[in-house]
Amino acid sequence: MPEMKINRTVSRLHGYIPFNPSHAEIYEEHQHESFVHADTAAEVWLAERLKAGEQPTSLVILTGDAGHGKTHLVRHLLKRLGAPGNLTELLQSQCKGQRLVVGEHTLAIHKDLSEMDPTEAAVLLRGTETAKHPLIVCVNEGRLRAMLSSEALRDSTLATNILRALHEDIIEPAAGIVVLNLNWQMVSLSGGIMTTLLGQLLDGRKWRACSGCAAAERCPIFQNRMILSENSHRVEAIRRLYEIVEQLGEVVTIRQVMIHLAWLLTGNLVCKDVHQQKRGTDRSKFSHTSSLFGDQAPEHFIRSHGLFSRLRRLDPAWSASREIDDLLVTEEGRACIPENAPDRIHITKRHKIDLRDELSPASLDIDAKNHLEHEALILERSFAILRRNHLLSHGHAQAQLPIAGFEYIGDFQDLLRGKLRKLAKKKVISRVIEGLHRLQYLPRPDGNGLYIVDPVSLRARSPTAVIAMQVPAKEVGLDPEEPPTPEDGGVALDATPRRLWLTLSGSRLSLNLWSFEFLCRCGSGLASRMFFAREARRISNFLLKVAQSEEQTNPDTARVLFEGRVISLTVADGVVSCD
């Protein structure tokens, strides 16, 4: 008779969820071995540079938000350089700034410079100017800036170069200095960090213990793994959701990815929880379609965790589409739910619903007279599950269709990838210009180009507007914001453009997907200023700065937009004339 088994993979995944008592897996220093690993561009490029030794390297700074895997990168960098033995012990005892011999290489490593006092850390950085071997340090950006402003480094050439690298997004600000800002690193690239980590987690060798477990047939964890490993299009749809999150401006760290993937597969369950479940228990809430969007996760955690909170906003369960919903009630539409999916059957109130069967009051055994509220709850839950499964089954092929209410996501992504032809790009720029006009309460003006309203006139919101400056349409640009690259032309970061530069007469404003969507909706006259209040203020302030930068050539002349026409008003000898 089959016995209940414990899968060590599930236990280790559970250790990544931070609000559990045993969450040591999320900290590299507590891991005796790497559970999963993705070769990042930063790790490969840095290892090749140090091995070749062709370019002098005195200081390497790995910076960025906590959780990007800086310590993990150092561990695998040591491995690539030929470090033998227990790397965890090496990290703990010999990576605090002291000289270290690894194979044929001599270097010094500090695995977490943020732990040091800023003044002491500044002295360590200053010593690289005379050291004969490179120093590699891991430090959060905030602490790094504190060190650079300390007395030991303030106004020094080293501090100036590092600050220039941070401000101007330069990898090599001076000879021998390398600054890798991992906030540029993206996890959503095709075949990149997220898909590599998930692929390793789904590897059949990690799930051999489940094959002979008595609870395997009713285990939502094992079923999640089976469905995702057998359906590559679902993994691709999840990757696209990650991509949208990063294009919305969220900096996603590798730690956040591991936390989310652990939640995605387990739903915060461990093997013992599954063993103790009674037959007939509602397992739909532990399906990957639910855990993908943070169902069952504590609200305080979701609000403080950027990846979870952004994915919840992309949840198709609360985004109705008549075309899709009409399809989901058909037999063809319901087939998007796999036969072995944990959410194929859900239990609402006293009703057990099989979503591969027809959805109707008669088939659901609902008494409409006494259980109208039951019918509403059942349909709400059923369509939430169906919409999520439809997205994961077809989202990989819907590159040009709206997702989670983003109507202009196709244009945004085509601009990032340089796929728009000249005429199509011109139409998008025209829509953005119209959006900027509507943001300034301008009626549709005649002529070609962008009009920027004088701030005083803007506050009045009158039909007549005083024009501060005019930008010709050909000087309005929408171009990808390129990530930094090293001088040797290699790839030092897993990054592609995720934002656009809006350029007006030399001034630039960064637009993420949210900003772009707002401007395009403004151009169509369908944007809510309250809903996009933050973006409206940011873009209005940018226009104000552009207007203030324009030099007034003739203070006695003003241009006024009246009934769609631009009129020039001139004051001479107390007489106002109109052209």
Side-chain angles (χ1 to χ4, degrees):
M1 181 177 178
E3 60 177 345
M4 300 292 188
K5 294 185 178 181
I6 302 295
N7 188 335
R8 183 170 173 265
T9 296
V10 175
S11 301
R12 293 201 68 172
L13 282 172
H14 200 251
Y16 279 98
I17 300 174
F19 46 82
N20 288 330
S22 57
H23 59 273
E25 293 288 348
I26 64 177
Y27 302 109
E28 182 71 20
E29 293 87 345
H30 298 164
Q31 295 184 15
H32 293 293
E33 58 178 345
S34 295
F35 182 37
V36 289
H37 170 67
D39 291 332
T40 64
E43 173 195 327
V44 174
W45 178 81
L46 191 55
E48 290 178 352
R49 179 186 175 107
L50 294 175
K51 283 182 178 180
E54 297 175 358
Q55 296 173 289
T57 304
S58 59
L59 176 62
V60 177
I61 297 177
L62 303 175
T63 187
D65 294 346
H68 272 302
K70 297 183 285 291
T71 307
H72 183 85
L73 189 154
V74 166
R75 176 203 288 262
H76 286 271
L77 179 63
L78 288 170
K79 187 175 181 180
R80 284 178 177 272
L81 295 177
N86 189 334
L87 293 181
T88 302
E89 177 63 27
L90 185 64
L91 278 174
Q92 295 286 8
S93 61
Q94 300 185 51
C95 290
K96 296 185 178 181
Q98 62 268 51
R99 181 174 175 273
L100 178 65
V101 178
V102 180
E104 301 176 354
H105 308 278
T106 302
L107 68 162
I109 295 176
H110 202 299
K111 66 180 182 63
D112 193 356
L113 202 63
S114 303
E115 296 176 346
M116 293 183 68
D117 177 78
T119 302
E120 296 178 3
V123 172
L124 178 64
L125 293 175
R126 192 67 182 263
T128 60
E129 296 178 339
T130 57
K132 296 182 180 180
H133 54 265
L135 170 66
I136 302 174
V137 299
C138 305
V139 57
N140 294 341
E141 187 174 335
R143 296 288 288 177
L144 176 59
R145 291 181 183 274
M147 297 166 193
L148 298 177
S149 62
S150 66
E151 188 174 347
L153 275 178
R154 189 184 304 132
D155 299 327
S156 66
T157 303
L158 177 62
T160 301
N161 287 328
I162 296 174
L163 286 172
R164 189 167 71 89
L166 295 175
H167 293 156
E168 301 178 15
D169 296 318
I170 301 172
I171 290 179
E172 298 174 88
I177 300 176
V178 174
V179 180
L180 290 177
N181 188 349
L182 298 182
N183 285 341
W184 275 97
Q185 182 173 267
M186 296 178 67
V187 301
S188 63
L189 301 185
S190 181
I193 295 172
M194 190 281 289
T195 50
T196 299
L197 295 177
L198 181 55
Q200 292 178 13
L201 292 175
L202 298 176
D203 190 338
R205 289 170 293 184
K206 286 183 167 61
W207 300 88
R208 288 173 181 167
C210 298
S211 58
C213 180
E217 292 185 0
R218 55 185 175 86
C219 175
I221 305 173
F222 187 59
Q223 289 171 339
N224 286 335
R225 180 261 161 187
M226 291 296 294
I227 293 172
L228 290 175
S229 62
E230 294 171 357
N231 296 273
S232 59
H233 54 272
R234 289 199 169 223
V235 175
E236 174 61 16
I238 294 171
R239 185 201 67 79
R240 286 202 66 226
L241 289 172
Y242 270 64
E243 183 179 53
I244 294 172
V245 168
E246 292 189 312
Q247 290 171 354
L248 284 169
E250 190 68 35
V251 177
V252 182
T253 67
I254 294 178
R255 181 180 298 166
Q256 287 179 323
V257 173
M258 287 304 302
I259 292 171
H260 184 255
L261 294 182
W263 186 268
L264 173 75
L265 291 173
T266 68
N268 203 27
L269 292 175
V270 292
C271 294
K272 289 183 179 179
D273 297 329
V274 177
H275 299 165
Q276 293 170 3
Q277 284 183 350
K278 297 180 180 179
R279 292 189 176 274
T281 300
D282 184 6
R283 296 178 286 116
S284 63
K285 59 186 177 182
F286 303 112
S287 171
H288 65 280
T289 56
S290 297
S291 53
L292 171 62
F293 301 102
D295 281 12
Q296 310 301 316
E299 285 298 323
H300 68 86
F301 172 72
I302 290 178
R303 286 194 297 268
S304 62
H305 195 289
L307 178 58
F308 274 79
S309 61
R310 291 286 189 178
L311 284 171
R312 171 165 285 189
R313 296 179 187 178
L314 300 177
D315 189 354
W318 317 116
S319 180
S321 167
R322 182 65 178 268
E323 180 183 357
I324 293 177
D325 288 350
D326 285 347
L327 172 66
L328 293 178
V329 298
T330 66
E331 183 177 356
E332 177 187 356
R334 297 194 303 273
C336 66
I337 299 183
E339 292 187 6
N340 60 334
D343 55 355
R344 172 182 172 174
I345 297 174
H346 71 90
I347 300 173
T348 302
K349 298 296 184 180
R350 63 179 179 82
H351 306 285
K352 186 175 182 179
I353 315 300
D354 188 338
L355 291 177
R356 289 180 70 93
D357 294 337
E358 183 180 358
L359 287 173
S360 67
S363 63
L364 297 177
D365 188 28
I366 295 176
D367 184 345
K369 181 178 180 180
N370 300 316
H371 298 288
L372 287 176
E373 70 279 9
H374 288 199
E375 181 179 358
L377 291 172
I378 288 171
L379 291 178
E380 178 183 310
R381 179 64 179 151
S382 298
F383 272 96
I385 295 172
L386 287 167
R387 288 169 182 168
R388 288 167 173 172
N389 275 278
H390 180 269
L391 176 66
L392 294 185
S393 297
H394 302 90
H396 66 289
Q398 295 181 346
Q400 299 300 325
L401 295 182
I403 294 179
F406 289 101
E407 298 179 22
Y408 301 98
I409 186 173
D411 288 340
F412 181 81
Q413 293 182 341
D414 283 344
L415 282 168
L416 290 179
R417 295 162 185 160
K419 289 185 176 181
L420 280 185
R421 293 185 178 180
K422 187 175 181 179
L423 181 59
K425 185 176 180 179
K426 186 177 180 180
K427 290 181 178 179
V428 173
I429 291 176
S430 296
R431 188 187 303 127
V432 169
I433 290 175
E434 182 63 24
L436 292 170
H437 285 155
R438 290 182 180 272
L439 181 61
Q440 301 173 90
Y441 301 97
L442 274 180
R444 184 184 297 272
D446 296 333
N448 182 28
L450 169 67
Y451 294 99
I452 299 180
V453 178
D454 185 275
V456 177
S457 176
L458 183 60
R459 295 191 190 100
R461 298 184 187 179
S462 64
T464 303
V466 178
I467 303 300
M469 66 178 295
Q470 180 182 1
V471 182
K474 63 182 180 181
E475 295 183 16
V476 179
L478 280 176
D479 302 295
E481 185 178 357
E482 297 291 344
T485 56
E487 292 182 358
D488 61 10
V491 179
L493 292 166
D494 293 283
T496 59
R498 69 179 92 176
R499 292 183 292 266
L500 295 171
W501 281 121
L502 171 64
T503 307
L504 304 177
S505 297
S507 300
R508 299 195 305 177
L509 177 70
S510 180
L511 298 180
N512 58 29
L513 174 57
W514 189 254
S515 314
F516 181 80
E517 180 78 14
F518 168 58
L519 284 179
C520 289
R521 289 196 181 194
C522 277
S524 303
L526 300 174
S528 167
R529 292 176 184 273
M530 184 176 296
F531 190 68
F532 292 96
R534 182 177 178 182
E535 290 305 312
R537 287 194 301 270
R538 189 173 73 93
I539 297 172
S540 296
N541 290 336
F542 168 70
L543 293 176
L544 174 61
K545 292 179 180 178
V546 174
Q548 291 175 340
S549 66
E550 176 76 358
E551 294 185 3
Q552 186 69 26
T553 56
N554 188 354
D556 295 328
T557 302
R559 288 179 298 171
V560 177
L561 184 66
F562 178 71
E563 294 184 352
R565 295 184 302 113
V566 177
I567 301 172
S568 294
L569 299 179
T570 303
V571 180
D573 299 326
V575 179
V576 178
S577 59
C578 174
D579 297 337

